[in-house]
Amino acid sequence: EQLPAHIQSMADGADPFVLSKSDMKNLSDAIRQDLIASQHPVLTKAAAYFFQADQDGGKKVRPMMIMLLSRALDAINNNNTNNNNNNNDTAADCSYKENDTQQNQNNMVRRPDLIRAQRRLAEISEMMHTASLFHDDVIDDADTRRGVPAVHKVFGNKMAILAGDYLLARSSIYLARLRNVEVFESMSLIIEHLVRGEVMQINSAHNENPFVYYLRKNFYKTASLMAQSCKSTAILGNHTDDFVSAAYQYGKHLGIAFQLVDDVLDFDGSASTMGKPALSDLNAGLSTAPVLFAAQNHPYNQLLQPLMDRKFQQSGDVELALSYVRKTDGIQRTKDLAWIHADLAIQAIMQLPQSPYRDSLIHLAYKVIQRTP
């Protein structure tokens, strides 16, 4: 895959990890110290489990994406003075009054604490994502997450569920403090979608096309959070509908690509590289893209369907399904579909004016796709 023309290279200053380093440096510390606090020490410890220095193994793609996007969108404002002044802002307090705004050169109202508010949004997004992991691992009875014991294995099922609920509740409080109804509505939709996606994963497709059902479930469980977070980042900057839509489409398609690559890595990866056991989806009874694509090949459609119907629960089903998938182009077709969605994400973000931050989001899309076991 070739980069679009006139894209600044990572070596020349568009490296997403370098550009986001200062914003990402203390993100987990800020969440643990500023946003998570309760009068129950065990609940606080459980909620902060993945934000501890020795447990902080997540990729942090979501907050990185939000901060890079916030800087890329800020280039539209052509307001270098405000950008430089806010460069080292912390997210200590993002409450502001309705008349506490500034006018930029493009006649858009810009809140003076914009970068701080967008950083707070990045923290909220990561809290919501972490809450969903707590709940998912209880439902799936997962043993590990990010290379360490899952939360419910350390604190028990009830405390893990309560900790996830608590993270969502704290997220809602700090969303309200951003004082933007449209952002609150968009980000709240993520919680509804997470629940919808989990219910869809528990149930079967029934009369719906299995692949359409699978993609819709993936949107609810993974892509919606990225899409709504990117959309909210643009809304906070009071950008035009076109730029809000471009931000949403970038997050949506990158989220779909991200999950498709995860599905591939479930077949090709290992516990040490993924932080969870390989073939965890098959062992959980889930038919992901590689299996669904493989089932479109004759004669494997007839061989795989009984295994899929019984959710790979009989002895030898997982091994048999794996052998069938490897004999087809199921994994390659999943990779191809991930590239299609990455390209759609890149097309969306190309609508922003050129800047190192915009180009870093393009490189981030490539990094998501090129993850290897």
Side-chain angles (χ1 to χ4, degrees), residues 23 26-27 30-31 34-35 67 86 88-95 113-124 174 177-178:
D23 286 319
N26 299 316
L27 184 127
I31 292 174
D34 298 340
L35 306 190
M67 292 315 303
N86 282 321
N88 296 316
D89 281 346
T90 62
D93 182 10
C94 295
S95 300
D113 66 339
L114 179 60
I115 294 297
R116 285 182 295 163
Q118 288 167 329
R119 179 181 165 86
R120 178 50 49 85
L121 185 69
E123 295 165 355
I124 290 167
Y174 284 98
R177 291 181 183 176
L178 291 179

Side-chain angles (χ1 to χ4, degrees), residues 40 42-44 46-47 134 151-152 155-164:
H40 195 298
V42 177
L43 177 60
T44 300
F134 286 8
V151 174
H152 67 286
F155 298 96
N157 286 353
K158 290 182 180 178
M159 187 56 67
I161 292 294
L162 290 171

Side-chain angles (χ1 to χ4, degrees), residues 240-260:
T240 64
D241 290 345
D242 286 344
F243 286 128
V244 171
S245 176
Y248 176 87
Q249 292 299 324
Y250 176 81
K252 172 187 172 181
H253 289 293
L254 190 63
I256 294 171
F258 186 96
Q259 187 57 54
L260 288 165

